[in-house]
Amino acid sequence: MKFFHVSDLHFGKMLHNVPLIEKDQPYWVEQFLTAVDQYDPEAVVIAGDIYDRRVPSPEAMKLFDHLLTELAKRGKYVFVIPGNHDSSVRLSHVSELLASHRIYIAGELQRELTHVTVPGETTDVTFWLMPYVFPKLVSDKNVLERDDLSTYDGAVRALLD
């Protein structure tokens, strides 16, 4: 199975007081969509830091909406995984609706990780979506109910177990 993996989009980022959202980031999105058309992957994984801050600008949200809409029009499976700059709650607020269009968002960390199996020509592939892991969230009563998780490595290992 062919899939694209991108991360750290940081839509809405300012660089030396220059807003990248005005020209650079929209240009990148169009170039990325051209590559999707050219290479025709079955899926696109967008892993972490979609936005540059937890409360993104309207322009950043509009650009991400455009990217998802175009990928959906192309019939691609899309997997979105929140990073430490993203608000998983805000990012996944319409995840059920998006799932009906093959766009899956990890959302808030849960005991059971979101996973989706994509049918392939020779074999099916299951994508497991793990949002950015904060040890305190893994220790939470809604996830593992453990008080011995203080490191990121330990939290991820416990979650995977």
Side-chain angles (χ1 to χ4, degrees):
M1 172 175 293
K2 190 184 326 178
F3 68 92
F4 279 4
H5 175 275
V6 296
S7 65
D8 296 290
L9 303 178
H10 288 276
F11 287 153
K13 184 172 184 66
M14 299 274 288
L15 188 60
H16 301 291
N17 293 323
V18 175
L20 300 179
I21 196 75
E22 290 178 4
K23 293 182 182 173
D24 296 283
Q25 291 176 330
Y27 176 79
W28 177 86
V29 166
E30 294 311 315
Q31 293 302 302
F32 181 73
L33 292 171
T34 298
V36 168
D37 292 339
Q38 180 180 355
Y39 293 100
D40 196 29
E42 284 81 11
V44 174
V45 177
I46 304 172
D49 294 344
I50 287 86
Y51 299 119
D52 197 51
R53 55 182 174 244
R54 294 178 78 69
V55 181
S57 69
E59 296 83 8
M61 293 172 65
K62 184 176 179 181
L63 184 58
F64 187 51
D65 177 65
H66 171 67
L67 175 60
L68 292 181
T69 300
E70 290 301 315
L71 291 170
K73 284 179 185 176
R74 288 161 170 80
K76 304 301 175 192
Y77 282 87
V78 180
F79 303 105
V80 180
I81 303 164
N84 64 324
H85 285 210
D86 302 310
S87 165
S88 57
V89 173
R90 283 186 175 92
L91 198 58
S92 64
H93 77 283
V94 291
S95 58
E96 285 186 50
L97 173 64
L98 291 174
S100 68
H101 296 280
R102 295 185 181 184
I103 298 171
Y104 301 91
I105 300 175
E108 287 188 279
L109 190 61
Q110 305 275 329
R111 187 178 310 260
E112 177 72 24
L113 295 176
T114 300
H115 59 283
V116 178
T117 300
V118 177
E121 286 184 29
T122 56
T123 187
D124 297 345
V125 176
T126 300
F127 290 83
W128 290 81
L129 310 182
M130 182 186 297
Y132 189 83
V133 173
F134 292 99
K136 183 166 177 43
L137 289 178
V138 176
S139 299
D140 186 83
K141 65 178 181 172
N142 294 324
V143 184
L144 295 182
E145 294 187 65
R146 290 178 52 176
D147 58 6
D148 62 330
L149 301 173
S150 60
T151 68
Y152 289 90
D153 185 59
V156 169
R157 288 179 188 279
L159 191 58
L160 291 176
D161 284 344

